[in-house]
Amino acid sequence: MSKIKAVLGSALFFLIAPAMLAGVIPWSITHWEFRPPFLAVEATRLAGVAFIIAGVPGLLDSFARFALQGLGTPAPIAPPRNLVVSGLYRYVRNPIYVAVVAVILGQAVLFADRQLLGYGALLWLFFHVWVVMIEEPTLKETFGTEYESYCANVPRWLPRFTPRAV
């Protein structure tokens, strides 16, 4: 896949998946209306903003890496040709999923919406099952020992503090 096709495919998939999961669905739950803050502490909303601010750039960077370095997309129908292990992938194996959940949980805390917290938790559970049952076996089959080495050095969900050498 050419870089141009990879960029266009990644952009399209971005609109289909993360924009829906972390934008449209949270809006349909909350209508982005503020409720009384969690624990009756207005400052909790700052934590929500921090999660959103951390998630959005990470999501955009990871999508760009799939297209420009992986020469593919995050979409299962147009996977990358190269294993992407740079950027946030040096700290955590699934930065797209982590970023999507961070944005959703950030919105849940910002708007103080328990339903959105539940949605974020269920979505993470879905991501976990997908990664363990589908994605990781496919990546092991596709990239072999390169992926196994990567898995041995980079955690699946909780980012490490020191980057893996690229």
Side-chain angles (χ1 to χ4, degrees), residues 116-135:
L116 198 51
L117 278 175
Y119 165 67
L122 286 174
L123 188 60
W124 175 83
L125 181 60
F126 171 79
F127 286 157
H128 179 71
V129 170
W130 173 264
V131 163
V132 171
M133 296 185 74
I134 308 287
E135 197 169 275

Side-chain angles (χ1 to χ4, degrees), residues 80-83 138-148:
R81 274 192 281 175
N82 305 314
L83 183 63
T138 301
L139 290 168
K140 282 179 189 172
E141 184 179 312
T142 304
F143 296 109
T145 56
E146 182 184 10
Y147 183 70
E148 289 174 4

Side-chain angles (χ1 to χ4, degrees), residues 53-72:
I53 288 172
V56 171
L59 190 57
L60 295 171
D61 178 74
S62 297
F63 264 74
R65 286 180 191 284
F66 259 78
L68 301 174
Q69 294 172 352
L71 298 176

Side-chain angles (χ1 to χ4, degrees), residues 47-125:
V49 170
F51 272 89
I52 295 167
I53 288 172
V56 171
L59 190 57
L60 295 171
D61 178 74
S62 297
F63 264 74
R65 286 180 191 284
F66 259 78
L68 301 174
Q69 294 172 352
L71 298 176
T73 75
I77 62 169
R81 274 192 281 175
N82 305 314
L83 183 63
V84 179
V85 296
S86 63
L88 294 175
Y89 289 92
R90 293 171 59 205
Y91 297 91
V92 65
R93 289 197 314 253
N94 298 292
I96 290 175
Y97 299 136
V98 170
V100 167
V101 171
V103 170
I104 292 166
L105 295 180
Q107 291 175 73
V109 173
L110 175 65
F111 298 115
D113 192 289
R114 284 177 171 66
Q115 282 185 305
L116 198 51
L117 278 175
Y119 165 67
L122 286 174
L123 188 60
W124 175 83
L125 181 60

